[in-house]
Amino acid sequence: MKSFILTIIFSCLLFPAQLIAENPAMDAQMRNKWFKEVQSYKYEFFTKELDLTAEQSDKFFPVYEEMEKAVYTVNKEARDLEDKIAQSAEDISDLEYEAATDVLYKVKQKEGEIELEYYQKFNEILSKKQLFLLKIAENKFTQSILNHHKKVTNNK
């Protein structure tokens, strides 16, 4: 979830609306380039914070990315449903609102279930200390991205 939020933050920073409107193909290129840069930074950051060996890195990052994709999918489905209900031209029944609200409120639960599932997988790759430090590293990474965003926006 945090990675997805960071993706949105960086997207807003690095893709000025004017460039996107003028050249959609360039937008996709820039997005891919940016994504690879952030992913590379994340790998370096986590490798350092967790003190991963090369072998651990090779095993850990594909599993971590798999987890992030699963979390992203859960969030995207909830956002799509939210958008569908919010933008509907038809009258929405209380039952539909209730069902949509239920989905939105259960997103965090699903994220937790995904993280617990992957905790078991990480447990086979990381030491107990590294597993503990993973959550701390995720928070530090998010904070470093937010600090960078703050610095960039204050320099404008």
Side-chain angles (χ1 to χ4, degrees):
M1 173 71 178
K2 289 179 184 172
S3 297
F4 178 71
I5 292 169
L6 295 175
T7 302
I8 291 172
I9 290 170
F10 270 120
S11 295
C12 292
L13 286 174
L14 299 177
F15 301 118
Q18 186 177 20
L19 281 178
I20 293 170
E22 291 174 8
N23 190 346
M26 186 175 210
D27 172 48
Q29 264 183 324
M30 289 173 61
R31 186 178 299 122
N32 286 336
K33 180 181 179 205
W34 168 81
F35 180 77
K36 288 180 183 186
E37 288 173 0
V38 171
Q39 188 176 43
S40 176
Y41 172 64
K42 183 192 301 183
Y43 286 10
E44 290 172 24
F45 189 92
F46 279 27
T47 299
K48 180 182 171 208
E49 290 292 316
L50 302 177
D51 195 25
L52 297 175
T53 66
E55 182 181 344
Q56 285 177 311
S57 288
D58 290 343
K59 292 178 182 177
F60 172 74
F61 288 114
V63 176
Y64 189 83
E65 291 300 322
E66 191 179 292
M67 179 187 76
E68 284 191 322
K69 285 178 186 174
V71 169
Y72 173 83
T73 299
V74 165
N75 281 288
K76 177 147 179 31
E77 289 169 357
R79 279 189 319 279
D80 290 347
L81 177 61
E82 180 181 26
D83 289 345
K84 179 183 173 190
I85 296 291
Q87 297 173 6
S88 177
E90 301 173 16
D91 287 337
I92 307 297
S93 72
D94 284 347
L95 188 59
E96 289 171 309
Y97 276 125
E98 182 179 11
T101 302
D102 190 52
V103 168
L104 295 175
Y105 277 90
K106 288 184 178 177
V107 167
K108 293 288 184 201
Q109 179 183 358
K110 287 183 181 180
E111 286 178 11
E113 290 168 359
I114 291 167
E115 286 190 2
L116 282 173
E117 174 190 339
Y118 280 87
Y119 164 78
Q120 298 303 322
K121 295 177 182 184
F122 297 146
N123 198 28
E124 296 173 11
I125 301 167
L126 304 174
S127 71
K128 302 306 179 205
K129 180 179 179 180
Q130 288 170 320
L131 200 52
F132 173 78
L133 292 174
L134 176 58
K135 282 297 182 196
I136 294 170
E138 288 176 328
N139 291 333
K140 281 184 175 180
F141 178 76
T142 301
Q143 192 60 49
S144 74
I145 297 297
L146 293 173
N147 288 341
H148 176 73
H149 168 70
K150 185 177 180 181
K151 199 183 317 181
V152 169
T153 56
N154 286 340
N155 288 335
K156 286 186 176 182

